[in-house]
Amino acid sequence: MRDAVQRLLTKLKAHRSSRPSIDLGRTNDPETRRLLEKVRLYENCYAAVSKKSEIPAKKQPGWICQPVEIAGIPFSVLISLEDRMAALSAEPFSVPPSDVGISMVHKEFTAIDRMIHEAQVSQSCTVRFAGHPIVSAAQYYLGNNLAAQFTIKELAAQYYISESYFGELFKRFVGISVNQYVKNLRLNKAMELLSGTNANVKEIAGACGYQDYGYFGKVFKRSCGLTPEQYRKQTRKG
C-alpha cells in the first residue's frame, strides 16, 4: 500500500514538474522569453487560470495550448489561436466561466503578468471579455473597481467617447446595458462573499459598491428573493 501511494505521488510530482515555470516578477529572463515565443505561434494570444488542478480544453485545429506553472495559481495555460474570429467567439474550455478565467485577446505574451491578472479578474467576476478593445477594457476596469462610485459618462470619458456611443457599444458586444452589467457584477460578488466568507454584511455591501446598506438589501432581495442574511444562512446549510 505504501509503495502504491509513493508511486502515485511520484507520478503527480512528475506531471506537475513537466509544466514550464514562469516567475511573473522575472518575465524578461531568457528562458521565459523563449517559452513565450514558442507558444506564440499565432497572433491571438490568451492566458487562462483555474482554481482546479487542470483546465479541460477543447481540441481544435489552429491553436496551441501550453500549461505553465505560476506561483499562487493552481493551474494556468497560455493559448494562441490562428483564426481571429474563432478567438473572439469560441469558448475554448468545456467548463463554466466560474471555473476558468480567460484574459483579453493579445497579439503576443509580452505583457504576461497583465494577462494573468485579466484572467483572474475574468474568473473572479465570472465574465468573458468582449471582442472589442474599449468594451473589454471597460469590463476589466469594472471588475477591478466594484466598490468605486462613477457615472457612465465618467466611464466613457476614460476612452474618449461619448456616453451614448459607449452605451451602444457596450450593449452590442456584451448583450446588456452597462448599468445592468455593473449590477450583475456587484450582486455576484456579494453572493460569493456572503457564502464564502464571514465578513460583516455591511462591509460586503460597501466592498460591492453599495454605500447605502438599506438599498443594498432591497436590490439583493429583489434579485435573489432573499435578504443577504437569509442567503448566507441558506447557502451554508449542511
Side-chain angles (χ1 to χ4, degrees):
M1 179 67 177
R2 183 179 298 174
D3 290 342
V5 171
Q6 187 59 47
R7 284 196 299 270
L8 177 60
L9 290 174
T10 301
K11 185 177 180 181
L12 289 173
K13 184 177 180 181
H15 173 69
R16 188 172 179 83
S17 62
S18 66
R19 307 177 200 162
S21 179
I22 293 180
D23 182 345
L24 294 181
R26 300 178 57 194
T27 56
N28 285 320
D29 73 85
E31 188 174 345
T32 298
R33 299 317 308 172
R34 282 194 294 270
L35 170 64
L36 297 179
E37 282 301 317
K38 179 182 177 182
V39 180
R40 184 190 167 272
L41 185 60
Y42 307 114
E43 291 190 352
N44 299 291
C45 302
Y46 293 94
V49 301
S50 174
K51 295 178 182 177
K52 301 184 180 299
S53 58
E54 62 179 320
I55 304 176
K58 297 175 182 176
K59 294 182 179 180
Q60 48 188 296
W63 72 308
I64 303 295
C65 185
Q66 172 64 61
V68 292
E69 189 78 22
I70 297 177
I73 301 175
F75 199 82
S76 53
V77 297
L78 305 181
I79 307 160
S80 66
L81 290 90
E82 180 177 18
D83 186 275
R84 179 162 177 79
M85 292 309 296
L88 296 178
S89 61
E91 170 55 77
F93 303 108
S94 53
V95 289
S98 58
D99 287 344
V100 175
I102 309 177
S103 71
M104 304 178 206
V105 61
H106 292 248
K107 289 187 175 181
E108 54 190 357
F109 292 105
T110 51
I112 184 62
D113 50 346
R114 161 72 184 235
M115 293 173 73
I116 291 295
H117 191 253
E118 289 172 0
Q120 290 174 314
V121 170
S122 166
Q123 182 180 44
S124 174
C125 297
T126 320
V127 299
R128 290 290 184 257
F129 292 112
H132 190 284
I134 289 178
V135 177
S136 58
Q139 288 177 287
Y140 180 66
Y141 172 83
L142 293 169
N144 269 322
N145 296 277
L146 287 179
Q149 301 299 310
F150 52 81
T151 65
I152 307 302
K153 183 176 182 179
E154 290 169 338
L155 191 58
Q158 293 188 32
Y159 309 105
Y160 306 100
I161 58 177
S162 69
E163 178 181 1
S164 60
Y165 180 61
F166 176 71
E168 292 172 8
L169 200 61
F170 196 95
K171 189 168 185 178
R172 186 193 314 163
F173 282 89
V174 179
I176 57 176
S177 69
V178 182
N179 285 329
Q180 185 62 50
Y181 182 84
V182 172
K183 178 184 175 182
N184 291 350
L185 276 187
R186 288 174 168 169
L187 288 175
N188 286 341
K189 177 56 68 173
M191 287 188 284
E192 177 188 327
L193 294 174
L194 286 166
S195 62
T197 74
N198 293 317
N200 180 279
V201 178
K202 288 186 178 180
E203 292 176 353
I204 290 175
C208 295
Y210 292 96
Q211 296 178 323
D212 185 330
Y213 173 70
Y215 178 68
F216 167 67
K218 290 178 181 178
V219 172
F220 193 95
K221 187 171 184 180
R222 192 181 306 131
S223 299
C224 303
L226 300 168
T227 67
E229 293 81 3
Q230 290 170 335
Y231 179 85
R232 168 172 274 175
K233 185 176 181 180
Q234 179 170 298
T235 56
R236 294 188 176 188
K237 283 183 179 179

